[in-house]
Amino acid sequence: MEMQTYQNPVISGFNPDPSICRVGEDFYLVTSSFEFFPGVPIYHSKNLVNWELINYCLTDEEQLRLKGCGPSDGIYAPTLRYWDGVWFMTVTNISDKGNFIVHTRDIRGKWSAPGWVDQKGIDPSLYFERSLCGHGEDGAPMYEDRAYFCSNGGEEGPGIYLCQVNPFTGERLSASRKISAGCGGKAPEAPHIYRIGEYYYLMMAEGGTEYGHGITMQRSRDIYGPYEACPYNPVLTHRDAGGDPIQAVGHGDLTEDQNGNWWVVCLGIRPLEGSMLHNLGRETFLAPVVWQDGWPVIGNNGRIAGQMQGPLPGMALPADRGFSDDFRTGLRLQWNTLRNHRAEDFQAEKGTLLIRGNEEDLDAFCGSPSFLGVRQPQFCIRAKTEVFVPRTDKTKAGMTAFYNGHFHYEIYVEKGEGGAYVNVRRRLFDLEMVTARAAVSEEGSLELKIEADEDYYSFFYRTGENWVLLDRGMTRGLTTEITDTRSFTGVFIGLFAVEGEAKFCGFSLEER
Ligand code: 6LW
């Protein structure tokens, strides 16, 4: 394939900890989902640049118990692998029993129940191997398949631990052994093992998932080690690239395409200009990899750029980051709810979406308010919907820019004393207030719009010809660094209802 230019991130908006797997000429990629439902989105691509959401690995409560989990708890980093006709995905639910594996023969269909793995730590990964184990009576070679499981926790302190498992049940088949302590950075995590040539390669992330993040590489001729470190670790980092518009790159996974070219997908962030704050979450980036003296050189000598070149396996198209749903044929795959919410509370048919609200509002920190959201994919977007004035008093029906229960902005309509109102409300830390309000007719519907850029979320409504800007809130209020010291997600643009029914007509989100 000839060299092509492509844009990073390849999957924009909150999509961290990517893991990639190729089967033939098809690439599949999964990312972390935390408290959002369904869990572990699966994307498909032919060219590594344009990715389509095709399914989720975790689609029911048995696979994904999130009740009462905190924001950024729940589902951490997944790994996707394919072996002998079966797909395997291993991941941690830190709010349930830890590490587990699910499998399926149809990546677009339903996945199995979890097989829990008795090994500590997070960021589990699988490595499969077929080896000669003897010869039959007729002299024919006999092979044995082995599945190895690694994660970053065990009895002997921080590092990477390995055992054998039954990948269908999760049963551990050997003792967990520490195989690496990392290469000196804090928080060795995100281990993936590959067999390339004569070596087992152990790729991991070190430095923590913030601005010190990076990828390191080790190799050994024995899967249990000892592993030697690449002489120029970290093989990818921006920790010394202050001012670069892409930061915190790390947590990657390698793949070889059908033409023998190598690639890494990893996470990175795009801070708001001139700041060390980011609102879009950790996103998925792609970089070409070449091998030099048996070690990988990632991207531009260990750096990633917004515009890169590589021998892509298919023709890349310009990214289409828009999204719309006319609610005519059920809900589109992109919508997520919070934790374990009743699916019956969201009904899309004949062009309207009905959301049944409960007593929890969006401030519920570990709760399940009636919220349906899509990831904000770019800084500058415009999202619109039409909402009907609720029939019942106290019911709120609206649209939100939502990070978590303690950090969000809302524009909603409610019927109260003396009429119906459209309100803008903010919740930032423990500050909550309605910051603007306008009276609207008690009958019929109105349109709501959120416009976002790197400075503000602006909230508009329209009952006739012209949009009215009701209020705005700073983008900086919904950034990972502001929300918490341990938060891993990004902003969603959502629709919601509180106490009673809310009816919406159409939703669209476009770049502007
Ligand atoms: C994930 C860890 C990390 O488990 O962040 O970027 C944690 N790295 O590897 C949550 O996504």
Side-chain angles (χ1 to χ4, degrees):
M1 271 316 275
E2 58 194 72
M3 295 297 263
Q4 290 180 60
T5 300
Y6 67 91
Q7 304 294 326
N8 265 318
V10 289
I11 310 182
S12 59
F14 155 56
N15 273 293
D17 310 322
S19 171
I20 190 168
C21 184
R22 175 175 72 89
V23 176
E25 299 190 348
D26 293 283
F27 297 89
Y28 297 89
L29 185 152
V30 291
T31 59
S32 304
S33 51
F34 302 94
E35 73 268 32
F36 294 92
F37 191 98
V40 187
I42 308 169
Y43 298 90
H44 169 255
S45 177
K46 288 272 191 192
N47 58 24
L48 291 168
V49 169
N50 303 105
W51 292 92
E52 182 198 0
L53 177 68
I54 56 160
N55 196 8
Y56 295 84
C57 297
L58 309 174
T59 52
D60 71 29
E61 222 174 305
E62 185 193 3
Q63 297 165 319
L64 183 56
R65 274 192 288 267
L66 295 172
K67 237 179 211 122
C69 82
S72 288
D73 285 347
I75 294 295
Y76 273 29
T79 298
L80 181 67
R81 294 291 182 257
Y82 181 78
W83 182 254
D84 209 15
V86 185
W87 293 95
F88 297 91
M89 191 282 294
T90 183
V91 75
T92 318
N93 184 342
I94 66 145
S95 307
D96 198 348
K97 287 183 284 190
N99 293 321
F100 64 96
I101 308 171
V102 289
H103 63 272
T104 180
R105 288 185 175 271
D106 174 12
I107 194 165
R108 293 170 191 261
K110 176 94 206 277
W111 290 63
S112 72
W116 297 95
V117 183
D118 178 23
Q119 182 169 297
K120 293 197 172 84
I122 55 167
D123 301 353
S125 186
L126 288 166
Y127 168 70
F128 292 88
E129 190 169 79
R130 178 161 294 167
S131 44
L132 190 66
C133 62
H135 291 86
E137 281 173 14
D138 57 356
M142 286 176 8
Y143 295 96
E144 183 194 25
D145 282 359
R146 285 190 186 160
Y148 291 90
F149 174 94
C150 58
S151 66
N152 84 333
E155 307 299 333
E156 298 164 52
I160 310 304
Y161 290 72
L162 184 71
C163 67
Q164 272 186 64
V165 285
N166 175 337
F168 291 93
T169 62
E171 185 193 355
R172 192 155 54 78
L173 303 177
S174 71
S176 297
R177 280 167 55 185
K178 185 170 178 175
I179 58 166
S180 170
C183 305
K186 84 167 182 192
E189 57 192 12
H192 292 303
I193 291 173
Y194 315 89
R195 173 82 196 217
I196 304 168
E198 291 166 27
Y199 289 101
Y200 292 96
Y201 284 84
L202 171 61
M203 193 165 94
M204 67 192 116
E206 291 185 64
T209 195
E210 301 82 20
Y211 287 78
H213 215 193
I215 294 179
T216 55
M217 195 63 145
Q218 297 187 325
R219 70 181 187 193
S220 171
R221 286 177 199 274
D222 184 329
I223 194 166
Y224 282 99
Y227 281 86
E228 58 167 321
C230 172
Y232 47 84
N233 275 325
V235 289
L236 176 74
T237 190
H238 282 196
R239 69 177 63 139
D240 53 348
D244 194 295
I246 299 166
Q247 291 290 327
V249 292
H251 197 128
D253 195 8
L254 269 177
T255 192
E256 183 184 19
D257 71 19
Q258 62 269 33
N259 306 315
N261 295 309
W262 288 82
W263 303 89
V264 75
V265 289
C266 66
L267 71 79
I269 62 171
R270 292 182 288 164
L272 297 168
E273 205 179 338
S275 80
M276 288 181 75
L277 307 171
H278 75 285
N279 65 320
L280 298 180
R282 299 172 299 159
E283 308 178 286
T284 292
F285 290 72
L286 173 77
V289 177
V290 292
W291 293 87
Q292 239 172 48
D293 305 326
W295 295 107
V297 178
I298 297 181
N300 306 330
N301 253 319
R303 294 256 205 267
I304 280 196
Q307 184 167 307
M308 296 197 86
Q309 290 209 318
L312 297 172
M315 190 56 78
L317 304 170
D320 176 9
R321 298 196 169 100
F323 168 81
S324 66
D325 198 338
D326 61 11
F327 305 130
R328 291 201 180 275
T329 45
L331 281 170
R332 291 193 61 193
L333 217 47
Q334 281 78 358
W335 292 108
N336 282 189
T337 59
L338 276 164
R339 304 183 178 85
N340 295 125
H341 202 98
R342 285 189 305 271
E344 314 87 81
D345 287 348
F346 307 96
Q347 273 169 17
E349 52 189 23
K350 297 189 186 141
T352 55
L353 166 70
L354 196 77
I355 302 186
R356 211 163 283 132
N358 56 39
E359 66 295 341
E360 288 186 296
D361 62 16
L362 295 182
D363 295 4
F365 197 59
C366 299
S368 284
S370 296
F371 160 94
L372 200 58
V374 295
R375 288 156 171 77
Q376 182 183 339
Q378 281 297 59
F379 295 117
C380 295
I381 55 117
R382 173 187 301 122
K384 283 191 283 195
T385 191
E386 179 184 352
V387 63
F388 289 82
V389 177
R391 299 235 171 91
T392 44
D393 285 359
K394 283 205 208 153
T395 304
K396 294 178 180 167
M399 184 149 69
T400 175
F402 181 88
Y403 192 102
N404 67 31
H406 286 178
F407 297 88
H408 50 264
Y409 301 115
E410 307 163 0
I411 179 165
Y412 62 88
V413 55
E414 81 180 325
K415 198 147 69 177
E417 273 169 41
Y421 297 92
V422 55
N423 295 331
V424 170
R425 176 176 177 273
R426 68 177 51 169
R427 169 78 202 240
L428 295 175
F429 286 107
D430 58 354
L431 170 79
E432 72 87 14
M433 63 195 296
V434 170
T435 57
R437 136 176 294 214
V440 291
S441 159
E442 282 184 66
E443 303 296 324
S445 66
L446 59 154
E447 287 175 278
L448 303 178
K449 179 170 76 164
I450 299 178
E451 283 189 358
D453 59 30
E454 290 194 48
D455 298 318
Y456 290 104
Y457 287 96
S458 301
F459 299 89
F460 300 82
Y461 72 99
R462 175 161 84 169
T463 50
E465 287 251 308
N466 299 319
W467 288 104
V468 179
L469 171 64
L470 195 55
D471 203 0
R472 49 190 204 171
M474 287 182 81
T475 304
R476 277 154 209 246
L478 304 190
T479 51
T480 296
E481 292 76 9
I482 293 286
T483 52
D484 202 340
T485 49
R486 200 190 59 79
S487 108
F488 297 130
T489 59
V491 173
F492 279 70
I493 304 296
L495 303 175
F496 70 96
V498 185
E499 290 196 54
E501 283 182 357
K503 204 165 109 185
F504 299 88
C505 229
F507 175 88
S508 68
L509 187 157
E510 57 193 358
E511 279 188 64
R512 60 187 193 93

